Amino acid sequence: MSSTSAIIKSFSKQEDGNVTIFSVFMLVLILTITGASVDIMRFEATRAKMQGTLDRAVLAAADLDQEQDPVAVVNDYMAKAGLEDVLSDVQVDQGMNYRTVTATGSVDLDTIFLHMSGFDTLTAPGHAVAEEKISNVEISMVLDISGSMGGSRIENMRDAAKEFVDTVIQENSDSGLTTISLVPYNATVNLGSTLSNYWTLSGLHSYSNCGTFPATAFDSTAIDPSVEIERLGHFDRYSTNESSSAISSPWCKTGDQGAMMVHSSNKTTLKSHIDSLSAGGNTAIDLGMKWGVALLDPATQPAVAAMAVDDLVVDEAADRPATFDDPEAIKFVVVMTDGENTTQYDLKSHRKYGLSDIWIDDRGTSSTSDDRFSLRVQNHSGTNNDVYFWHRERNDSWNDRYRSTPDGGSNARQMTNVELFARFGTKAVAKKMYTKPYYDGWVSQNTYYDVYYASEAIVNGSAADERLADICHAAKEEGIVVFAIGFEAPEGGQTAMKNCASSLSHYFDVEGVEITETFHAIARQINSLRLIQ
């Protein structure tokens, strides 16, 4: 017994095995943690695969363009991924212009190592919701109708624009309202005979309704309806018709030809107006963009509200444009061109305002066919010693056409510049009234050419490019999303569109019928399909 006790006592005092025991414990702990990590990584890989498939499935199912049963679409996606057994529920909520798809699921994963710790399985949950709907959307379509858009180009553009309208506007909607403003442009933007009543164009004349802006106006998005806009002169730079009663091709179109349309939600009306667009004139993308952006600026709201009172805008849109910080409003500009900015013209100031040197005797009739004209070629002090050139044909010699009184005497009246150039093209006035006096030495060459070229450049192409860049920048600063299309445009136009777009992904370089697919693609982006959970 004493020997055994001594052995036990001696063993108890030995410490050589302590490290070995600790190492065994540590090895078991490391193996446990490593095994748990393997199970957790397997769990996360399975969960990520299921969640990713659920996300893709609900996105496809919520797409308003697909006509299959949304539940079947989700099931098909999951089955093809080998996850058909994980779905626990698919819910669909849809209306006239929206669809929300919700899918939930879970998968049980048998553990390899964690079961030693009492966890036999891990459950990976999945939940995804996707929704496509048209929110409160405001869109300006800025459409090039310049002369180069003639033929197949404008036909393709009209088809594309009409399909765009069909895609983004869902009538009888119970989920938000989409309105479109049409801004056709060439060398000018025509407010039209109706819309011009809701902005403040200067009272120079009432023949046509186009405005001009200083360069500083392009630094901001607003056009305040209560602030006066300089009215563009009414003139024809090219006509030589000396017998007309009114110019046939004014720089700014008359009436509602190619006029703007503001915040309409009526597909039929919008498409009818698009169909009426025809090509002609120079290209002023900056003016088109200025108006397109202004119609999205809340400064325009008083004009839209007044139009709603007059039944030109639906009551639901009476408070548009929304403020830029309205969380429920989205604003877009879709601008396209097939060209590049060219020169913009207006009448010279001394030919735009005031009285001309032409007198008219209307013979007391409403007919213009018997009107008689005379040009004052010398204006002396007093009233009785001036010299007038009588235009009408006479049996007298040419020199007898120069008289001390205008043709018609006291019945003649002095024409305003506005009246004169609204009746005859600038070249026609020069040929009709100034050619003979010029050759006879009564009118200087400078005077003759000043009338012949009575209009002058007010903005050249490069200046218009700068103005376009400024207004595009101002729009993007306010959160307006700009889609820009170069439609068979030259390099200058492509560059301008690329710089105007919100990003390179918002810029499109297209040809021919590709414009239809491009407009459709933009419309699909506006009808934003988005994963909301």
Side-chain angles (χ1 to χ4, degrees):
M1 290 294 293
S2 61
S3 175
T4 302
S5 177
I7 293 172
I8 293 172
K9 185 176 181 179
S10 175
F11 178 77
S12 66
K13 294 179 178 181
Q14 296 295 320
E15 297 179 356
D16 295 344
N18 287 350
V19 174
T20 301
I21 294 171
F22 177 75
S23 297
V24 170
F25 280 124
M26 289 300 296
L27 179 62
V28 172
L29 180 60
I30 290 170
L31 290 174
T32 301
I33 293 174
T34 302
S37 299
V38 171
D39 282 337
I40 291 172
M41 286 188 292
R42 292 175 56 236
F43 166 83
E44 181 57 27
T46 302
R47 188 204 65 79
K49 178 182 178 182
M50 177 182 62
Q51 186 63 52
T53 306
L54 278 174
D55 288 346
R56 292 189 295 272
V58 295
L59 283 169
D63 186 351
L64 290 172
D65 279 353
Q66 70 88 13
E67 299 178 355
Q68 299 181 53
D69 176 55
V71 176
V73 171
V74 174
N75 284 321
D76 185 59
Y77 262 77
M78 301 304 288
K80 285 183 168 57
L83 298 171
E84 61 270 24
D85 296 329
V86 309
L87 274 177
S88 59
D89 187 41
V90 179
Q91 296 290 331
V92 178
D93 179 26
Q94 60 185 353
M96 179 65 66
N97 68 333
Y98 74 96
R99 180 183 296 156
T100 304
V101 180
T102 305
T104 56
S106 64
V107 59
D108 293 329
L109 179 70
D110 292 333
T111 60
I112 299 174
F113 296 97
L114 284 177
H115 74 277
M116 293 185 295
S117 302
F119 298 95
D120 295 331
T121 60
L122 293 176
T123 300
H127 180 76
V129 181
E131 179 183 56
E132 182 178 12
K133 71 176 181 179
I134 302 174
S135 303
N136 292 325
V137 178
E138 299 172 13
I139 305 169
S140 286
M141 296 181 69
V142 182
L143 305 176
D144 189 343
I145 57 169
S146 61
S148 58
M149 280 290 294
S152 63
R153 287 186 182 182
I154 198 164
E155 292 176 4
N156 289 333
M157 185 273 284
R158 286 194 293 246
D159 291 342
K162 288 186 293 183
E163 183 170 325
F164 178 91
V165 169
D166 279 330
T167 304
V168 298
I169 289 184
Q170 302 293 322
E171 294 178 335
N172 303 317
S173 167
D174 58 359
S175 180
L177 176 68
T178 296
T179 56
I180 295 177
S181 297
L182 296 177
V183 185
Y185 72 91
N186 45 26
T188 63
V189 173
N190 181 13
L191 273 69
S193 59
T194 302
L195 294 187
S196 60
N197 296 313
Y198 301 93
W199 275 267
T200 311
L201 285 170
S202 66
L204 176 65
H205 62 78
S206 59
Y207 292 106
S208 56
N209 300 288
C210 298
T212 66
F213 299 92
T216 54
F218 294 80
D219 295 332
S220 62
T221 56
I223 299 178
D224 189 333
S226 65
V227 175
E228 185 175 89
I229 302 168
E230 174 68 19
R231 192 186 294 263
L232 187 72
H234 191 68
F235 62 98
D236 183 341
R237 298 188 70 235
Y238 304 110
S239 175
T240 59
N241 185 358
E242 300 180 28
S243 60
S244 63
S245 58
I247 53 177
S248 58
S249 298
W251 198 248
C252 174
K253 300 302 182 185
T254 57
D256 293 319
Q257 182 180 357
M260 296 194 310
M261 179 172 287
V262 174
H263 287 284
S264 175
S265 57
N266 187 304
K267 291 196 294 185
T268 301
T269 302
L270 285 163
K271 291 191 293 183
S272 176
H273 193 58
I274 291 169
D275 271 331
S276 73
L277 300 178
S278 58
N282 280 17
T283 304
I285 314 170
D286 56 322
L287 282 176
M289 191 66 181
K290 175 62 181 174
W291 276 106
V293 171
L295 295 179
L296 302 178
D297 189 289
T300 300
Q301 199 279 324
V304 177
M307 284 185 270
V309 171
D310 295 337
D311 294 327
L312 298 174
V313 171
V314 295
D315 290 340
E316 293 81 359
D319 59 350
R320 298 196 173 195
T323 59
F324 286 123
D325 59 358
D326 187 339
E328 297 184 0
I330 312 172
K331 299 172 185 279
F332 300 91
V333 171
V334 182
V335 55
M336 58 78 54
T337 186
D338 77 323
E340 56 189 345
N341 280 314
T342 55
T343 304
Q344 300 168 32
Y345 293 90
D346 196 359
L347 288 171
K348 298 171 184 175
S349 180
H350 61 280
R351 299 293 178 187
K352 181 175 180 178
Y353 306 99
L355 295 171
S356 73
D357 289 325
I358 308 296
W359 266 251
I360 181 174
D361 174 18
D362 61 16
R363 310 288 289 169
T365 69
S366 59
S367 172
T368 60
S369 61
D370 60 353
D371 291 347
R372 297 178 177 180
F373 300 91
S374 48
L375 166 67
R376 184 171 62 188
V377 295
Q378 284 192 354
N379 181 16
H380 298 293
S381 60
T383 58
N384 298 319
N385 55 353
D386 297 337
V387 178
Y388 296 85
F389 165 69
W390 290 24
H391 172 267
R392 64 187 172 104
E393 294 293 337
R394 296 169 56 87
N395 294 325
D396 303 325
S397 67
W398 276 98
N399 288 334
D400 288 339
R401 293 193 178 190
Y402 297 95
R403 304 294 181 93
S404 61
T405 60
D407 194 353
S410 61
N411 292 325
R413 60 177 177 82
Q414 192 173 5
M415 300 179 74
T416 63
N417 279 311
V418 165
E419 180 186 9
L420 176 65
F421 292 111
R423 179 158 181 175
F424 304 106
T426 60
K427 294 180 179 179
V429 171
K431 293 179 65 178
K432 182 183 185 74
M433 299 303 306
Y434 286 80
T435 300
K436 176 59 177 171
Y438 165 57
Y439 284 118
D440 289 344
W442 289 94
V443 169
S444 69
Q445 185 182 60
N446 287 341
T447 299
Y448 176 82
Y449 281 108
D450 187 65
V451 175
Y452 192 87
Y453 300 108
S455 62
E456 64 181 353
I458 55 173
V459 181
N460 61 28
S462 60
D465 285 341
E466 293 176 5
R467 293 172 15 147
L468 175 61
D470 289 342
I471 190 60
C472 291
H473 176 74
K476 290 180 282 190
E477 285 290 296
E478 295 290 3
I480 297 173
V481 180
V482 180
F483 293 95
I485 303 170
F487 179 37
E488 301 179 15
E491 183 178 354
Q494 295 288 358
T495 299
M497 290 295 93
K498 189 181 299 183
N499 292 339
C500 188
S502 288
S503 72
L504 286 178
S505 64
H506 292 80
Y507 160 70
F508 303 86
D509 176 8
V510 301
E511 296 183 2
V513 295
E514 291 175 351
I515 192 172
T516 299
E517 179 54 36
T518 298
F519 267 88
H520 182 69
I522 293 171
R524 293 284 293 110
Q525 290 186 57
I526 291 175
N527 287 0
S528 54
L529 180 64
R530 58 195 183 274
L531 194 65
I532 62 174
Q533 289 187 29

